């Protein structure tokens, strides 16, 4: 009889331990799912709607070229890009948890006018600083010299009728992106990411 009681107590104790283990695993799994779900509370369709509303457009007026969930600077973001029938390109970065617009850009293709000589020339704003001057401004802001950077890209572009230099480069541990007004030399956009 004493032996039966010991077996019964041991069996009950093992059952309690196993049940506690199962509950613990379920609780930790539920916690992990909740943490993940809390990081992305805005759906992809909601993010697209936020960007479209900000741009004052409807989905039937645009062609999406990029829509993806990404991880940037420790947060989930939606990267959304599209163009319109009039070749205006939009780029948005939407916080996947709050729906806040973190970054946006609107680029119009250069408009052409017909000159008296019958050739097509772009109607562009005046460019007053050189690409080298724009690089100097950006390198000074980053606290580096040109000899310390790699993968340097400099592009002159039109953004909403304003001529800008788009400058990208890397250092040993950081990646930089900047936009510089080609008329004033003012840094209009600045982004630094760690490798």
């Amino acid at each position: 009889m004493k032996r039966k009681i010991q077996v019964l107590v041991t069996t009950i104790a093992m059952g309690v331990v196993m049940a506690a283990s199962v509950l613990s695993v379920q609780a930790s799994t539920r916690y992990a799912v909740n943490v993940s779900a809390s990081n992305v509370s805005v759906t992809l369709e909601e993010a697209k709607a936020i960007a479209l509303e900000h741009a004052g457009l409807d989905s039937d007026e645009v062609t999406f070229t990029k829509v993806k969930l990404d991880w940037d600077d420790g947060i989930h973001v939606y990267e959304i890009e599209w163009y319109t029938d009039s070749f205006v390109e939009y780029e948005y970065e939407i916080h996947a948890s709050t729906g806040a617009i973190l970054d946006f850009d609107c680029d119009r293709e250069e408009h052409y006018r017909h000159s008296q000589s019958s050739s097509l020339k772009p109607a562009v704003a005046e460019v007053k600083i050189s690409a080298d001057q724009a690089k100097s401004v950006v390198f000074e802001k980053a606290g580096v010299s040109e000899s310390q950077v790699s993968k340097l890209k400099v592009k002159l572009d039109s953004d909403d009728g304003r001529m800008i230099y788009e400058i990208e480069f890397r250092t040993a541990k950081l990646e930089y992106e900047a936009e510089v007004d080609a008329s004033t030399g003012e840094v209009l956009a600045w982004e630094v990411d760690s490798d």
Side-chain angles (χ1 to χ4, degrees):
M1 181 77 162
K2 198 174 187 183
R3 175 83 175 133
K4 286 183 182 179
I5 292 176
Q6 284 178 334
V7 170
L8 182 62
V9 169
T10 303
T11 304
I12 291 172
M14 288 177 59
V16 169
V17 168
M18 288 176 62
S21 295
V22 168
L23 290 175
S24 174
V25 167
Q26 286 178 341
S28 67
T29 302
R30 191 174 313 119
Y31 176 73
V33 169
N34 288 341
V35 168
S36 176
S38 71
N39 288 340
V40 179
S41 58
V42 175
T43 67
L44 183 62
E45 290 305 313
E46 290 170 333
K48 286 167 55 175
I50 290 166
L52 287 168
E53 181 180 339
H54 183 264
L57 296 168
D58 292 322
S59 61
D60 60 341
E61 297 177 280
V62 305
T63 302
F64 288 97
T65 57
K66 179 179 183 181
V67 181
K68 79 175 200 179
L69 179 64
D70 200 7
W71 184 258
D72 187 26
D73 293 332
I75 59 171
H76 281 103
V77 296
Y78 288 107
E79 293 179 359
I80 303 171
E81 298 179 13
W82 72 80
Y83 64 89
T84 65
D85 290 341
S86 57
F87 300 103
V88 178
E89 181 184 50
Y90 291 82
E91 297 177 11
Y92 277 82
E93 196 169 277
I94 308 291
H95 195 290
S97 181
T98 65
I101 297 171
L102 300 174
D103 190 23
F104 71 95
D105 187 32
C106 174
D107 292 325
R108 299 188 194 308
E109 292 296 315
E110 291 185 8
H111 301 283
Y112 288 88
R113 65 175 182 255
H114 196 270
S115 72
Q116 290 179 334
S117 65
S118 298
S119 65
L120 294 176
K121 293 185 178 180
V124 296
E126 190 172 347
V127 175
K128 294 182 179 177
I129 68 166
S130 69
D132 286 336
Q133 290 169 318
K135 288 189 305 187
S136 294
V137 168
V138 171
F139 292 154
E140 182 177 331
K141 183 171 175 75
V144 299
S145 66
E146 189 165 356
S147 64
Q148 295 173 298
V149 305
S150 63
K151 298 186 179 182
L152 175 63
K153 294 180 188 174
V154 180
K155 176 182 170 188
L156 181 62
D157 195 12
S158 174
D159 186 13
D160 293 331
R162 175 190 281 182
M163 295 304 293
I164 61 168
Y165 287 102
E166 296 174 352
I167 302 174
E168 299 177 15
F169 61 93
R170 291 179 179 244
T171 62
K173 295 183 181 184
L174 299 173
E175 182 177 323
Y176 294 84
E177 290 183 24
E179 291 182 359
V180 177
D181 187 306
S183 181
T184 66
E186 176 187 2
V187 176
L188 303 171
W190 182 256
E191 186 175 325
V192 181
D193 291 321
S194 59
D195 270 344

